[in-house]
Amino acid sequence: MSETAAAPRTAAPRPPCRGPADALVLAARSARLSARTVDALLTSLILPVMLMLLFVYLFGGAIDTGTDYVTYVVPGVLVLCAGFGAAGTAVGVSNDMTEGVVDRFRSLDVSGTSLLAGHVAASMARNTAATAVVFAVAFLIGFRPQAGGPAWVAAVGILAAYVLAFSWLSAAVGLLARSAEAANGFTFLVLFLPYPSSAFVPVETMPDWMHGFAENQPATHVIEALRGLLLDQPAGDAAWWALAWCAGLLAASVAAAALLFRHRTA
């Protein structure tokens, strides 16, 4: 009796360039998870609107900005909304790391970059919805932008760059945190950032010792750029500073996320 040696089996090669496709699939997964946590989703949609209404109707009459307060405050609320929505990425990434989800995806040969990019893409989608809600309510209470087509494109681009940079920063924080509760603390820091800026009051009205930080932090540059573009007002070089801050934060955050992911999954 003759025996025929079976040919050794080899694993099917993974199709090339699957990274973008994996990121889209994982972005859809993150979006579905966000839809299931109704309380967090409603908070991200309603909190910025409540803060805008609070400042406009309770404090707006006491704050002199040289224009209608709703006109002044909306760009700051947009940045507040963007930062708060982006910070939620930290909790999602931390949950995946602590619940063993990452290990299951890695067994399917899904890269860490695709996993993190999926969370970031879902953050961009959530922020798009939240920004649309803020704009709709702002129009209802009297906000009237004066921007033309190119200015609108520039404003949307700057806001998207801010969300993208802080989403990747949040992803890095989620990898650094050892629990979802610790990652959630980052939300408070990002939510606080627009307050010592020109979001709600002119920087000139703040104490002298605060001017240096308030004038040169990323939120102020983004807010001043949005204010100038949406209201068709001169904003100096705020747009370039805003883009420079976003590019720097994005580059540093992507590099940090890559290093932290390798360290946590080694």
Side-chain angles (χ1 to χ4, degrees):
M1 181 181 295
S2 61
E3 295 183 358
T4 304
R9 289 186 176 183
T10 58
R14 181 174 169 82
C17 301
R18 281 291 305 275
D22 288 343
L24 288 175
V25 172
L26 293 170
R29 166 187 172 267
S30 297
R32 288 194 298 271
L33 291 175
S34 297
R36 292 172 187 170
T37 55
V38 180
D39 53 345
L41 184 61
L42 289 177
T43 299
S44 65
L45 293 174
I46 295 175
L47 180 61
V49 173
M50 295 300 296
L51 288 173
M52 179 171 62
L53 296 176
L54 175 70
F55 274 92
V56 169
Y57 290 113
L58 294 186
F59 305 136
I63 301 174
D64 182 15
T65 61
T67 184
D68 291 339
Y69 191 65
V70 64
T71 301
Y72 182 87
V73 81
V74 167
V77 174
L78 290 174
V79 170
L80 179 71
C81 173
F84 181 73
T89 308
V91 178
V93 171
S94 180
N95 279 330
D96 281 354
M97 295 299 297
T98 56
E99 294 176 0
V101 175
V102 172
D103 293 333
R104 291 197 292 272
F105 280 128
R106 292 189 72 203
S107 69
L108 299 173
D109 200 20
V110 176
S111 68
T113 301
S114 297
L115 178 63
L116 298 178
H119 280 287
V120 170
S123 172
M124 300 289 288
R126 289 193 303 268
N127 273 280
T128 300
T131 301
V133 172
V134 170
F135 261 122
V137 176
F139 275 111
L140 290 176
I141 63 175
F143 178 63
R144 296 295 181 266
Q146 306 297 321
W152 272 107
V153 172
V156 170
I158 290 173
L159 191 60
Y162 185 81
V163 174
L164 182 64
F166 270 87
S167 295
W168 273 104
L169 178 60
S170 297
V173 171
L175 292 168
L176 187 63
R178 295 296 175 175
S179 67
E181 291 76 14
N184 194 44
F186 181 67
T187 302
F188 171 77
L189 295 177
V190 176
L191 188 63
F192 176 75
L193 188 62
Y195 286 92
S197 73
S198 62
F200 303 109
V201 297
V203 173
E204 293 76 18
T205 64
M206 299 178 184
D208 293 340
W209 56 267
M210 193 179 292
H211 285 184
F213 175 78
E215 290 174 348
N216 297 289
Q217 62 136 315
T220 294
H221 292 299
V222 174
I223 291 165
E224 289 301 318
L226 293 178
R227 191 172 284 141
L229 290 167
L230 293 177
L231 303 179
D232 195 21
Q233 297 175 353
D237 55 358
W240 298 112
W241 276 109
L243 291 174
W245 267 107
C246 292
L249 285 172
L250 178 61
S253 300
V254 170
L259 288 173
L260 288 168
F261 188 86
R262 285 199 294 269
H263 175 73
R264 288 288 301 271
T265 58

